Amino acid sequence: MGQLPKSKIEQLKREKREAKAAKKRKVATRDKIVRFLVVCEGERTEPNYFKELVRDRYSEVRSEEIVGEGRSTCALVKRTGEIRDELERRRMLRFDRVWVVFDKDDFNDFNEAISMAARKGYMTAWSNEAFELWYLLHFVFLDAAISRADYIRKLETEIRRFEDCKDFRYRKNDAGFYRLLTTYGNEECAKQSAARLRRFYEPSVDFKNHKPCTTVDILVEELEHPEKLLGE
């Protein structure tokens, strides 16, 4: 056999170097994990959504604990600290990001809950009026202050526009709703719409009067792209 051309030899050397560098990056990445604790007001609706999201968006640099607690606003923030302490003791590992997920609904301590969470170093994925606003933004932009029941009616109307969803009825605890969102909705549009809503109210921090508004998109972005947090 003849000797390989010089260009071929150089190509093989380059490919070997690149493969070695890729392997090093992969090993290093596995040693860096962003550990999330997500504590939700709802016992099933929000946990179902986030569990399906992380299952759908696998990441080597993310681990997560998603809990549905069945409490609201300030009570939920307080309970989050207990859950975090208990899990950190059990695992002997600290959480990097602690998120509390809750709605405004009719609660009077909404602003207080957001402030309390911030003082404790927690992030808040809140919705005013309800979590269903995040779902609806996958289909249509909304800047009118409406009730949870109206979100659901509008959501059903938008989804029924699709030929094979003519008889769709929203069920709050439907574990399969995430798949419907990814099939028919547009998550990028939802993120843009959520950011647009927040800009309407800047620089006000009277969150109970930010309606409609949500920060769920920020948590979604972190769960989908935890690698962006590694450099922080």
Side-chain angles (χ1 to χ4, degrees), residues 136-155:
L136 184 57
L137 293 177
H138 284 67
F139 301 94
V140 64
F141 179 71
L142 175 77
D143 59 1
I146 61 177
S147 69
R148 179 193 293 271
D150 287 330
Y151 286 140
I152 292 172
R153 280 192 286 270
K154 284 183 173 293
L155 189 58

Side-chain angles (χ1 to χ4, degrees), residues 6-148:
K6 186 176 180 181
S7 60
K8 184 63 175 178
I9 294 172
E10 290 302 317
Q11 180 185 344
L12 290 171
K13 285 182 178 179
R14 184 172 64 253
E15 289 174 354
K16 189 174 180 180
R17 286 196 303 268
E18 290 173 353
K20 189 174 180 181
K23 185 176 180 182
K24 277 177 121 178
R25 285 196 300 271
K26 195 170 184 182
V27 170
T29 298
R30 286 200 188 108
D31 293 334
K32 297 180 179 180
I33 297 290
V34 183
R35 296 179 175 86
F36 287 88
L37 172 62
V38 181
V39 181
C40 303
E41 171 187 17
E43 293 184 85
R44 292 176 63 188
T45 300
E46 296 92 338
N48 283 345
Y49 170 80
F50 289 114
K51 286 175 182 178
E52 289 301 312
L53 183 144
V54 298
R55 189 176 294 122
D56 190 42
R57 307 294 182 92
Y58 171 77
S59 172
E60 289 187 338
V61 298
R62 181 194 66 226
S63 71
E64 67 287 324
E65 184 76 30
I66 299 168
V67 181
E69 188 56 28
R71 305 187 191 203
S72 59
T73 46
C74 285
L76 182 67
V77 175
K78 292 174 184 175
R79 176 61 182 146
T80 296
E82 296 171 358
I83 293 171
R84 181 204 60 189
D85 292 345
E86 179 184 343
L87 290 174
E88 288 184 344
R89 275 196 306 271
R90 189 191 310 165
R91 297 177 170 194
M92 293 186 290
L93 288 170
R94 293 182 60 83
F95 287 104
D96 301 296
R97 305 292 281 179
V98 178
W99 279 86
V100 192
V101 183
F102 56 87
D103 297 345
K104 166 65 174 68
D105 287 335
D106 297 321
F107 301 111
N108 295 320
D109 58 348
F110 187 65
N111 285 0
E112 184 183 349
I114 295 171
S115 297
M116 179 188 297
R119 290 195 299 272
K120 292 177 178 291
Y122 308 157
M123 306 289 287
T124 49
W126 54 262
S127 300
N128 188 355
E129 178 87 3
F131 191 77
E132 284 79 9
L133 169 61
W134 169 244
Y135 291 164
L136 184 57
L137 293 177
H138 284 67
F139 301 94
V140 64
F141 179 71
L142 175 77
D143 59 1
I146 61 177
S147 69
R148 179 193 293 271

